[in-house]
Amino acid sequence: MLSIEHLYFSYQGQPPYVLNDLNLHIHSGDYISIVGDNGCGKSTLLRLILGFLTPVKGSIKRSTNNIRYVSQKNDFSHAGFPITVKEILDSYRKLLKIKDKQEVNRVLELTHMTEFKDRLISKLSGGQKQRVAIARSLCTSPEIMLFDEPTSALDPEMVGEVLKIMRQLAENGMTMVVVTHEMGFAREVGDRLVFMDGGYIVEEGNPKDVITNPQHKRTKEFLSKML
C-alpha cells in the first residue's frame, strides 16, 4: 500500500540529510507507531508521504492518493467565526465535491460528535476540536490516515477521548501511521513500532517486543525517558 525505499531528504537538497536511507513498508490495515526525540525526522517523513516534500533520493510508492492528515493542534481559526461543527464539515464536503450529504452525519457518528454538531467550534474543548479534525479527514473515506502527535497539545483528561476514536479506527481496519509519544497506546494498539533517531530508522518491530526488549542502545535510552 505504501512502500518507502532508500529514502533520503534534505531541506537544502544536499547533505547533511534530515532523513537517511529510510526503508518502510506499510500494508493495508497496518497501524504503525513512529516514536523518537524531537527533531529526529518523524514529521518530515509524514510530509514526504503526503507529497508535500520531494525526496532527494529514493522513492515513495503509493497505491492510493487518498491519504489524509491530522496535525498536533487544530483550532480552526482559519475558518472564521461563528461557525458550527456541522457547518465546517459541510463546507469541507462541498469543497471536495462530495455529493452525499449524509457523509457528514456518518463521520459525526464515527467520532462521537453528533451531539455537538450545532455547537460553535469556538466553544469546543481541545479534544473535541481534534475529533472534528479527524471527522473532517474521514469525509473522504481515506485509505490511509496520518497522525502527527494528535494528543500532544491536549490536557491529560482530553487525551483519552481522541485515543478512543483512533482505537476504533484501528479496530475497523483503517491503515494508520501515527507519530506519537503515547507509548502505552502504541504497545496496546499498534502492529509495529518504529524508533527513529537522527534521521534513521534505528529499530522496528512488534511494539511489545521493542518496548520490553529493545535491541539498540539508543532505543533503550529513549524508552528509559518515556516509560
Side-chain angles (χ1 to χ4, degrees), residues 180-197:
T180 184
H181 282 102
E182 300 288 343
M183 301 304 297
F185 191 75
R187 177 168 48 195
E188 292 176 22
V189 180
D191 298 303
R192 268 184 290 155
L193 183 70
V194 175
F195 171 63
M196 291 182 63
D197 183 61

Side-chain angles (χ1 to χ4, degrees), residues 9-185:
F9 178 77
S10 168
Y11 286 98
Q12 293 77 35
Q14 58 188 12
Y17 295 115
V18 177
L19 297 177
N20 296 274
D21 198 21
L22 260 63
N23 294 277
L24 185 64
H25 301 279
I26 299 164
H27 305 100
S28 179
D30 278 353
Y31 186 111
I32 310 296
S33 300
I34 302 179
V35 302
D37 287 324
N38 292 337
C40 72
K42 306 184 299 294
S43 296
T44 299
L45 176 57
L46 295 189
R47 294 188 187 104
L48 282 156
I49 291 173
L50 285 163
F52 292 171
L53 300 173
T54 303
V56 175
K57 292 192 291 185
S59 65
I60 301 177
K61 297 177 182 177
R62 310 169 185 83
S63 65
T64 178
N65 288 320
N66 193 357
I67 303 172
R68 291 293 176 263
Y69 172 76
V70 177
S71 62
Q72 294 181 18
K73 188 175 181 181
N74 292 275
D75 60 10
F76 296 97
S77 58
H78 63 281
F81 294 99
I83 187 168
T84 67
V85 170
K86 190 174 187 302
E87 286 170 342
I88 201 166
L89 292 176
D90 231 5
S91 64
Y92 189 68
R93 176 186 65 80
K94 292 174 183 176
L95 178 67
L96 296 176
K97 299 181 180 179
I98 299 168
K99 295 181 180 179
D100 186 0
K101 294 181 179 180
Q102 292 304 311
E103 188 64 16
V104 169
N105 292 331
R106 183 185 74 84
V107 298
L108 283 168
E109 185 176 346
L110 277 173
T111 53
H112 308 294
M113 287 297 292
T114 302
E115 64 180 292
F116 302 102
K117 66 180 181 180
D118 296 319
R119 184 169 296 185
L120 295 176
I121 289 286
S122 58
K123 300 298 183 182
L124 298 180
S125 69
Q128 290 164 347
K129 288 177 182 176
Q130 280 297 71
R131 284 153 64 188
V132 174
I134 295 171
R136 180 179 59 182
S137 293
L138 290 173
C139 277
T140 61
S141 299
E143 294 188 49
I144 302 174
M145 288 276 286
L146 308 181
F147 292 84
D148 191 355
E149 298 191 20
T151 61
S152 66
L154 302 180
D155 293 333
E157 65 267 22
M158 299 177 186
V159 170
E161 61 189 60
V162 175
L163 294 182
K164 181 180 179 181
I165 304 303
M166 294 173 66
R167 181 190 292 272
Q168 182 181 338
L169 291 175
E171 290 172 351
N172 290 340
M174 175 66 72
T175 306
M176 301 165 71
V177 181
V178 183
V179 170
T180 184
H181 282 102
E182 300 288 343
M183 301 304 297
F185 191 75

Side-chain angles (χ1 to χ4, degrees), residues 183-227:
M183 301 304 297
F185 191 75
R187 177 168 48 195
E188 292 176 22
V189 180
D191 298 303
R192 268 184 290 155
L193 183 70
V194 175
F195 171 63
M196 291 182 63
D197 183 61
Y200 292 88
I201 291 179
V202 173
E203 193 160 346
E204 176 184 353
N206 179 281
K208 293 178 182 177
D209 293 340
V210 174
I211 290 171
T212 59
N213 188 30
Q215 300 300 301
H216 196 280
K217 178 183 175 182
R218 280 295 296 122
T219 315
K220 293 177 183 177
E221 292 172 350
F222 174 77
L223 291 172
S224 69
K225 297 182 294 183
M226 297 301 297
L227 300 176

